[in-house]
Amino acid sequence: MPLPAAMLQRARDFHGTPAPARPAATVVLLRPRDETFEVYVLRRATTMVFGGVYAFPGGGVDANDRPETIKQDWSRRLGVPEAEARAVVGAAARELFEEAGVLLAGPQEQPDRTVGDVSGADWEAERAAVQRRELTMTDLLRKRKLRLRDDLLLPWARWITPEFEPRRFDTWFFVALLPQAQSARDVSGEADRTIWISPAAADGLAMLPPTRVMLNELSAYASIEGVVAASAGRDAAGPVMPRIELTDGGAVLHIP
């Protein structure tokens, strides 16, 4: 797997104590396409961390990410204490709303439904308020008489940034289906391009190893139903931390 030149240089220059890894969450959004499916990816603006590479909507856990959840086994599935697990789930839902305008929520009295179109001006004002940390997701859902549909977040994997990186993340990857009547769109200002693409067609895009591996794994499934079924057996508690072995001719990436 080719590595960005800047990453390779950071690996060569690293000496000292690794930075702590900040908890984070990423959501791999899927939508049907004929008999198979597509994945939503965005290219980070060059002013951002990991700028210029394609990624999924996501980001760091915030202090206010403490939602009420439907599922009660998040601690077991994610491998951290209950409060930390709920914070990761809350971050996944919030980042998806902030970066793609997709809200995984439904009416409090109708547990099997999801909210419809959330692209109107009133919704956009509240999404921007959440992004600016002027409004929490919990307060937004309460105001709208909605509840988080965390049961729509399917845990898939957990990756920790290599020790040589100055900014490190302990990131949980979730898969989610695009809710009916909603559309993903670039609203965060943190991307310069967004596309829907089949996992197999993403080979030519610049990506970091976790994103590439995620797409490689998804390309093994012919349908969304196959991905959903596979998610039940995925280990999202045990972390994967890539290691780079430097050689005279370059580097070898080891993924446990």
Side-chain angles (χ1 to χ4, degrees):
M1 183 181 303
L3 299 176
M7 175 184 286
L8 187 56
Q9 189 61 47
R10 288 193 296 272
R12 293 189 181 280
D13 294 342
F14 174 73
H15 299 285
T17 303
R22 178 187 176 189
T26 289
V27 181
V28 186
L29 196 62
L30 311 182
R31 74 175 183 184
R33 176 69 174 180
D34 299 326
E35 299 301 318
T36 180
F37 62 92
E38 294 178 320
V39 179
Y40 182 77
V41 295
L42 51 86
R43 186 171 62 189
R44 296 289 181 195
T46 55
T47 55
M48 302 296 297
V49 178
F50 306 126
V53 300
Y54 284 84
F56 309 113
V61 172
D62 188 79
N64 291 319
D65 290 324
R66 297 291 188 274
E68 294 296 327
T69 59
I70 296 173
K71 297 176 68 173
Q72 301 301 312
D73 63 344
W74 282 120
S75 177
R76 178 183 65 82
R77 290 303 309 272
L78 303 186
V80 290
E82 180 65 26
E84 296 177 33
R86 287 175 54 234
V88 171
V89 171
R94 175 182 53 75
E95 288 286 344
L96 185 62
F97 186 45
E98 287 182 11
E99 292 202 303
V102 172
L103 183 61
L104 300 181
Q108 293 175 351
E109 305 304 322
Q110 297 172 290
D112 295 330
R113 284 189 55 201
T114 52
V115 67
D117 181 35
V118 294
S119 62
D122 57 338
W123 276 108
E124 177 56 22
E126 292 180 333
R127 186 207 62 79
V130 171
Q131 186 176 15
R132 295 192 301 265
R133 302 298 185 267
E134 298 170 358
L135 180 69
T136 69
M137 279 285 287
T138 299
D139 290 339
L140 170 62
L141 296 178
R142 185 181 299 116
K143 173 184 176 182
R144 293 274 184 170
K145 294 183 170 55
L146 301 171
R147 68 171 181 171
L148 180 66
R149 286 295 307 275
D150 59 286
D151 56 320
L152 302 179
L153 286 169
L154 309 176
W156 191 269
R158 177 184 179 185
W159 287 71
I160 297 180
T161 308
E163 293 184 344
F164 62 81
E165 291 286 7
R167 296 187 64 177
R168 303 179 64 228
F169 297 92
D170 185 354
T171 305
W172 282 263
F173 284 71
F174 298 86
V175 172
L177 279 59
L178 178 68
Q180 290 185 349
Q182 292 192 42
S183 59
R185 59 199 192 282
D186 178 22
V187 289
S188 69
E190 298 180 357
D192 58 20
R193 187 189 183 202
T194 63
I195 55 173
W196 285 96
I197 193 169
S198 71
D203 282 347
L205 303 180
M207 295 177 178
L208 294 176
T211 309
R212 175 67 63 200
V213 170
M214 184 79 198
L215 289 170
N216 288 347
E217 291 175 347
L218 290 177
S219 67
Y221 302 96
S223 66
I224 286 179
E225 290 78 10
V227 174
V228 172
S231 68
R234 295 288 306 185
D235 177 14
V240 174
M241 188 170 70
R243 180 176 59 85
I244 291 181
E245 178 185 345
L246 299 174
T247 67
D248 292 339
V252 176
L253 179 68
H254 296 277
I255 300 177

